[in-house]
Amino acid sequence: MARILFSVPPLTGHLNPALAVAEELEKRGHQIAWAVHAKQIRDKLPPRAWVYPLDAEDVDGPSIADPQVRGLESVRLFFEDYTLPIALRMLTPLEAISRSFCPDVMVVDHQLPGAALVARKLGVPWTTLVTTTASILKMSPTVDEWVAQQYMSLQCSYLPKELRVERPDFSPHQVVVFSNETLLGNAHPRVDAPYHFVGPTKGNGRRVVDFPWDWLRSDSRKLLISLGTVSRDRDTRFFEVMMAALAEMPEIQAVMVAPESLAERAPLNVLVRSYVPQLELLDQMDGVICHAGHNTVCEALSRGLPLIVAPIRDDQPVIARQVIDAGAGLSMRHGKVTPAMARSTIEKLFSTPELAANAKRLAQSMLAAPGAVGAANLIAAQASPSVRPVH
Amino acid sequence: MSTSYDDVLAVVIQQIRSTVNEDWIEDFEIGPETRFNDDLELESIEFVKIADAIQNHFGNQLGIISWLSGKSIHELIGLSVGDLTGFITSALATPEA
């Protein structure tokens, strides 16, 4: 049995893959502990989880500073106002947690560099979890250089000089990526790191969410519309445009993950819910309209569903481009799309069989990937490099 | 003969409209203050297409992409139609090497 310390940011897209991997490791008898911002995500962890809070001293815990920004500006602010301040605040508490728990392995999300720095300083073997492939790509010299500068300033405050590297967020031992190389494509060079592409996890470890399943008809085409948890409450324009377009398309039923205040204005064929059991729902869908969040894209493609991507921020434009290049989706401009354009794009989604065919091709490679089991194998092997004698 | 800033601006705006070619952009007001990232929601691949279209229009290599690669991340985020127009106007005024 190994002692494994997980540390991930309090964001659904980062937590969900880790939950699946942790559940798999726990099933094999390993001792899991979580060093997380408990005020925000304790309710999404297993009820009996061993939790070390990173935010005991914080009043509110971290939040995405300005959810309104988009594109490259959101990448800058995500570093400057979210990732780096969180990293600085967590270094001291996490070092103490790690000395107390004595992990054999640390499992660290790639956007929680504070945990990566602690693993590096203490010399603990560690695995990086990568929940979006945008992070492993070299996008442009300007952006890459800026990212390296951000990491260097963080390291200077904590790590001795000989331990500082250009990309401290990636473990030199192993980097687990929840996607596959077919979707990733070759449009951009990669940061050099020991990657293991395990594909998406299958959703284990998530809490149960209620859903009115009998609302779905057997004779309709079904769409899931989601902008993810960060952008869900940003503004309602996009959702209103979708409702206006779908009001003219009664043959389609859409489940829209949006503020429930929109429900009273929704046409009969649109069901508004603020939280859904996404994986079970995707099993019933024919297509997806989304922000090109990495998990939603991989989950949709695992089921062979074609997508309409409307990227907003962070890694989303990069992932949206992967979907388009793979021939499995169409694009929509999030802040500009009109009801007429939405309607014609939805019609095209369902009348272009190549999109679904390419999505099904990607599904085969996604389903062949080992997912959470593969990630757990890698982490377990790191915990016991040679098989230990059984006592 | 040099091309005035306003002439270049009109070309830049026209090339943005025809490259994006979606219904909303027909009525969307574009001026020197309009930012590519925030106001137009353009991704980099679309920006490259617009740069190519502008360079084709003027019939020479203006070096728009290498001009961009010298910019900081803050400048890229705030890049406006006026910034691009200013660069092209001065590139056109400089005799080709």
Side-chain angles (χ1 to χ4, degrees):
Chain A
M1 184 186 100
R3 301 170 69 79
I4 303 173
L5 182 62
F6 274 73
S7 202
V8 300
L11 298 168
T12 305
H14 297 258
L15 176 63
N16 278 343
L19 281 174
V21 176
E23 187 187 85
E24 178 64 28
L25 286 164
E26 201 150 46
K27 224 161 56 184
R28 302 179 192 185
H30 298 295
Q31 177 65 60
I32 309 296
W34 295 85
V36 291
H37 297 82
K39 286 178 182 136
Q40 288 179 46
I41 55 170
R42 180 64 187 90
D43 65 333
K44 297 197 172 90
L45 295 171
R48 284 199 299 268
W50 182 348
V51 178
Y52 290 103
L54 291 173
D55 51 0
E57 306 295 316
D58 298 0
V59 180
D60 297 323
S63 61
I64 303 278
D66 184 355
Q68 295 298 328
V69 297
R70 64 172 69 249
L72 191 55
E73 186 164 25
S74 72
V75 175
R76 178 177 76 82
L77 287 174
F78 190 73
F79 261 93
E80 291 182 353
D81 295 351
Y82 191 78
T83 305
L84 297 179
I86 288 178
L88 284 170
R89 279 205 301 273
M90 70 183 281
L91 290 168
T92 304
L94 183 63
E95 187 177 325
I97 290 164
S98 195
R99 290 186 189 282
S100 153
F101 181 71
C102 295
D104 298 302
V105 176
M106 285 175 68
V107 179
V108 176
D109 183 90
H110 71 299
Q111 279 175 354
L112 203 63
L117 263 55
V118 169
R120 285 177 180 275
K121 183 175 176 185
L122 301 183
V124 177
W126 61 295
T127 296
T128 304
L129 301 183
V130 173
T131 52
T132 171
T133 50
S135 299
I136 74 170
L137 298 175
K138 295 184 175 184
M139 297 307 298
S140 84
T142 304
V143 176
D144 298 339
E145 193 180 312
W146 180 82
V147 167
Q149 281 167 6
Q150 302 303 306
Y151 282 133
M152 197 46 77
S153 70
L154 176 65
Q155 294 177 86
C156 285
S157 67
Y158 182 70
L159 284 183
K161 202 166 186 177
E162 64 275 13
L163 291 181
R164 296 175 199 162
V165 293
E166 186 172 326
R167 288 295 295 260
D169 49 336
F170 291 152
S171 166
H173 314 297
Q174 53 190 13
V175 176
V176 169
V177 185
F178 295 106
S179 182
N180 71 18
E181 294 181 273
T182 317
L183 178 61
L184 180 61
N186 290 317
H188 301 281
R190 298 173 198 172
V191 175
D192 193 26
Y195 297 117
H196 298 268
F197 292 86
V198 300
T201 62
K202 315 266 183 316
N204 322 47
R206 295 191 201 173
R207 62 183 167 146
V208 176
V209 180
D210 283 338
F211 188 79
W213 293 103
D214 52 6
W215 183 80
L216 297 169
R217 302 196 318 257
S218 60
D219 63 343
S220 65
R221 298 255 209 177
K222 296 175 193 67
L223 274 175
L224 175 69
I225 304 175
S226 170
L227 297 181
T229 48
V230 170
S231 294
R232 179 189 58 201
D233 302 325
R234 135 189 210 120
D235 64 66
T236 55
R237 197 200 86 95
F238 181 84
F239 296 125
E240 284 164 19
V241 170
M242 294 302 119
M243 291 195 295
L246 287 158
E248 309 289 317
M249 310 177 89
E251 71 285 6
I252 292 174
Q253 281 191 299
V255 176
M256 192 162 80
V257 188
E260 295 203 8
S261 58
L262 290 173
E264 59 187 23
R265 281 183 277 157
L268 286 174
N269 60 336
V270 177
L271 179 68
V272 177
R273 306 282 285 187
S274 61
Y275 210 81
V276 296
Q278 181 157 304
L279 295 178
E280 294 89 332
L281 202 50
L282 284 172
D283 287 334
Q284 311 287 323
M285 295 291 118
D286 299 298
V288 173
I289 300 178
C290 73
H291 58 312
H294 189 264
N295 292 333
T296 301
V297 163
C298 290
E299 288 161 5
L301 291 175
S302 296
R303 288 157 179 78
L305 299 178
L307 296 121
I308 295 173
V309 284
I312 307 167
R313 51 175 296 140
D314 307 329
D315 58 319
Q316 296 157 13
V318 178
I319 305 303
R321 179 50 49 193
Q322 292 178 7
V323 173
I324 304 293
D325 288 348
L330 304 169
S331 69
M332 211 182 243
R333 219 174 295 265
H334 167 266
K336 307 292 186 211
V337 63
T338 58
M341 190 136 227
R343 190 177 166 182
S344 68
T345 311
I346 293 168
E347 280 165 358
K348 193 172 171 192
L349 181 76
F350 287 130
S351 63
T352 314
E354 292 78 21
L355 297 172
N358 287 326
K360 290 204 169 67
R361 186 175 51 81
L362 281 160
Q364 287 174 0
S365 62
M366 292 271 180
L367 293 174
V373 171
N377 288 344
L378 289 162
I379 293 162
Q382 193 178 26
S384 41
S386 56
V387 178
R388 290 172 185 170
V390 180
H391 297 291
Chain B
M1 194 191 89
S2 68
T3 314
S4 77
Y5 178 91
D6 287 344
D7 294 343
V8 174
L9 180 63
V11 171
V12 169
I13 292 171
Q14 175 50 38
Q15 296 301 337
I16 291 170
R17 288 196 204 282
S18 57
T19 306
V20 171
N21 194 26
E22 290 175 10
D23 59 359
W24 61 273
I25 203 150
E26 289 164 24
D27 313 318
F28 193 83
E29 203 171 307
I30 305 176
E33 307 295 319
T34 306
R35 289 171 303 168
F36 289 96
N37 177 65
D38 205 42
D39 298 324
L40 294 174
E41 293 185 41
L42 293 190
E43 64 165 313
S44 52
I45 197 165
E46 292 175 297
F47 187 87
V48 171
K49 279 187 200 162
I50 290 167
D52 286 345
I54 292 169
Q55 293 182 147
N56 286 340
H57 176 91
F58 288 112
N60 54 11
Q61 289 304 312
L62 301 168
I64 294 174
I65 300 304
S66 65
W67 168 70
L68 266 190
S69 66
K71 298 235 162 274
S72 72
I73 189 167
H74 294 80
E75 290 169 320
L76 288 180
I77 289 166
L79 190 75
S80 68
V81 170
D83 295 336
L84 178 61
T85 304
F87 167 75
I88 295 167
T89 308
S90 58
L92 288 170
T94 311
E96 280 184 72

